[in-house]
């Protein structure tokens, strides 16, 4: 039996944490089984890269497999670190893999937080308030 919700728990990077940090959340929606599998595997792979990236403080991944909805949650010391990761070859390769499937809709959102461990329940509330839009290889745009 396949679980309907799969979560890789929050994992802290081994570096000092600041009092304030940038919390970044994303949501991607997948239609078919192949798309769901690619998003799950890609998310797990990217989680490793996040943990190795300068300025990354922590990361988690949640997949609602039946609904085809995937969330990532990461914490960064600053916006420059987050943007450097977004421009990295590892991230670009993952996004290329996702966009090869066709249009992928998602939400990308960030906000300042205290540097304590974020909770999925709270994160899902503020992420669900944003409308998904098309995720493009060269950047993000929302209609």
């Amino acid at each position: 039996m396949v679980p309907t919700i799969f979560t890789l728990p929050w994992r802290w990077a081994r570096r000092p944490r600041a009092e304030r940090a940038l919390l970044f959340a994303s949501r991607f929606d997948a239609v078919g089984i192949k798309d769901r599998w690619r998003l799950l595997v890609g998310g797990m792979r990217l989680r490793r890269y996040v943990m190795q990236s300068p300025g990354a403080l922590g990361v988690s991944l949640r997949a609602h497999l039946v609904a085809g909805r995937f969330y990532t949650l990461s914490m960064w010391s600053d916006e420059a670190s987050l943007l450097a990761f977004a421009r990295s070859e590892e991230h670009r390769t993952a996004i290329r893999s996702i966009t090869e499937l066709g249009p992928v809709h998602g939400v990308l959102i960030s906000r300042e937080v205290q540097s304590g461990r974020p909770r999925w329940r709270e994160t899902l509330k503020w992420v669900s308030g944003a409308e998904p839009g098309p995720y493009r290889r060269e950047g993000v745009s929302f209609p």
Side-chain angles (χ1 to χ4, degrees):
M1 183 172 170
V2 176
T4 59
I5 298 176
F6 174 78
T7 303
L8 290 174
W10 184 260
R11 183 170 161 210
W12 287 107
R14 293 186 178 161
R15 55 182 55 97
R17 288 176 237 152
E19 269 186 46
R20 301 214 37 97
L22 183 68
L23 187 63
F24 178 77
S26 67
R27 183 186 108 196
F28 294 98
D29 300 329
V31 179
I33 297 295
K34 183 179 178 183
D35 296 7
R36 292 172 193 190
W37 179 252
R38 192 174 281 187
L39 280 172
L40 179 61
V41 171
M44 290 170 33
R45 194 173 292 135
L46 274 177
R47 183 177 190 249
R48 280 195 313 267
Y49 294 131
V50 168
M51 294 304 291
Q52 298 167 3
S53 298
L57 300 175
V59 66
S60 183
L61 168 74
R62 177 171 270 196
H64 294 256
L65 298 171
V66 173
R69 187 160 291 156
F70 297 80
Y71 298 91
T72 64
L73 182 59
S74 58
M75 188 180 289
W76 300 85
S77 59
D78 53 39
E79 186 176 353
S81 299
L82 171 59
L83 291 175
F85 170 74
R87 294 179 182 123
S88 70
E89 187 56 37
E90 292 85 358
H91 186 259
R92 286 179 181 268
T93 299
I95 296 308
R96 207 173 300 117
S97 173
I98 290 169
T99 57
E100 284 172 358
L101 296 172
V104 176
H105 284 72
V107 171
L108 303 174
I109 191 165
S110 64
R111 68 178 193 175
E112 275 195 36
V113 294
Q114 299 289 17
S115 66
R117 183 170 72 91
R119 305 282 183 221
W120 273 112
R121 180 178 292 168
E122 296 160 7
T123 301
L124 293 176
K125 283 181 187 175
W126 60 270
V127 169
S128 65
E131 286 295 318
Y135 191 93
R136 294 190 172 81
R137 198 176 299 169
E138 297 303 316
V140 181
S141 66
F142 297 98

